[in-house]
Amino acid sequence: MDRLAAMDVFVRVVDAGSFSGAAKQLHMGQSAVSKAIAKLEERLCVRLLLRTTRRLTPTEAGRDFYERVKRSIEEVHEAELAARGASATFSGRLRIQATVAFALVHVIPCLPAFLAQHPALDVDLVIDDRNINLVEFGIDIGLRVGHRRNSMLSDRKIAQCRTLVIGTPSYFNAAGVPRIPADLVRHRVIIYEEPLGGATWIFRQGAAEASVSLNGRVHLNDTVGVRGCVLADLGLAIASEWMFAPELKAKTVKAVLADWSLPPVEAWAIFPTGRQASAKARALANFIESQMSISGITSSSRNDNSSCAGNPG
């Protein structure tokens, strides 16, 4: 087995977490995969993997080797794509991390069309609202909503939407429709907790400004939970237009106080620090950006250095 092939086997083993998983991806025997790793470790004179009965994990040297090797393999694949021309499709595996609601509402519905364009490409989708370490989790691209918490990360703003006061028609029929921001203190409000939202909001209308501190019996730190509570008529919520995109379109929820504005919400494509974004990761970012633009509820921006002034949604 040549050097590049052995490197590819190592990357597959780390991504799969086992020899058997890598063997299935590579259509090789498990023993052949194990031998390839053993020979690679022997040639490098270093232990790359820690073997347990349940899982294989890279050593510190293995993690560093993995990052460098994966980047090299991606560059080889991209060079081949460039040589074959723009009509070539991607292959291999793309690991994506996205926040829960964003994944359910905007990423997963886009995957069938994206995978149809690239039939040899496999996707791992890690759904997690935390700002996980992309390198540690082997993530190629993170899709996150809200503040850019680390300006050192390589990122690109892919979309922006409004923050709205949202509730169901049945809730507003029973509780009344707020006419000004101060009316919200008399309503049942689902509080989307900091750093994801918060109880204090500043509304603007031209030169006028109104700060409102809300009270709510239900506090959540999960976007799916906020959606569920609103749809169950437990109260209204202040949330991104993205979070309720299907329901707003279907008119099963409605936005009020439309003549007042709140800080916008931005979506970002985040790439691992120290690694040039792969062509596959860039292609997914472009695809998600285009699909959100088509949806008609988002305004895109190519300004990578702009900052998010709003609360995540």
Side-chain angles (χ1 to χ4, degrees), residues 15-216:
D15 286 343
S18 67
F19 290 140
S20 60
K24 290 179 181 178
Q25 293 179 21
L26 293 165
H27 305 290
M28 296 172 58
Q30 184 172 334
S31 60
V33 171
S34 180
K35 288 179 181 177
I37 297 301
K39 288 182 179 179
L40 184 61
E41 290 179 324
E42 181 180 353
R43 182 171 61 82
L44 296 174
C45 298
V46 67
R47 176 66 65 85
L48 297 173
L49 295 170
L50 295 175
R51 299 158 174 81
T52 67
T53 56
R54 293 185 177 182
R55 187 171 175 84
L56 298 174
T57 56
T59 62
E60 182 176 353
R63 285 193 297 270
D64 182 64
F65 186 67
Y66 169 83
E67 280 300 309
R68 295 172 182 269
V69 165
K70 186 169 184 178
R71 182 165 62 247
S72 298
I73 292 174
E74 288 172 348
E75 289 173 351
V76 169
H77 289 327
E78 290 178 21
E80 291 178 344
L81 285 173
R84 291 200 298 265
S87 61
T89 61
F90 296 110
S91 61
R93 186 166 296 273
L94 179 67
R95 281 180 62 80
I96 308 163
Q97 182 257 330
T99 55
V100 179
F102 195 77
L104 294 177
V105 177
H106 297 289
V107 179
I108 293 175
C110 289
L111 283 181
F114 183 73
L115 292 176
Q117 290 182 8
H118 308 285
L121 182 65
D122 295 326
V123 164
D124 291 339
L125 180 58
V126 178
I127 300 177
D128 197 321
D129 278 336
R130 298 175 300 164
N131 286 324
I132 64 176
N133 186 303
L134 301 187
V135 174
E136 181 180 344
F137 284 80
I139 303 297
D140 299 299
I141 177 173
L143 297 170
R144 297 178 181 172
V145 175
H147 297 283
R148 294 170 72 210
R149 294 180 176 85
N150 188 344
S151 61
M152 299 302 293
L153 288 174
S154 174
D155 56 25
R156 194 187 92 204
K157 190 170 82 171
I158 58 174
Q160 178 174 296
C161 79
R162 296 177 296 170
T163 301
L164 303 173
V165 179
I166 294 173
T168 60
S170 56
Y171 169 78
F172 289 123
N173 288 338
V177 176
R179 303 299 178 187
I180 58 174
D183 291 343
L184 293 173
V185 299
R186 295 189 290 273
H187 279 262
R188 299 198 309 270
V189 181
I190 309 303
I191 303 295
Y192 193 11
E193 290 187 341
E194 293 283 7
L196 305 174
T200 300
W201 293 85
I202 297 176
F203 291 78
R204 289 185 172 85
Q205 186 184 69
E209 184 176 288
S211 177
V212 180
S213 294
L214 305 172
N215 294 311

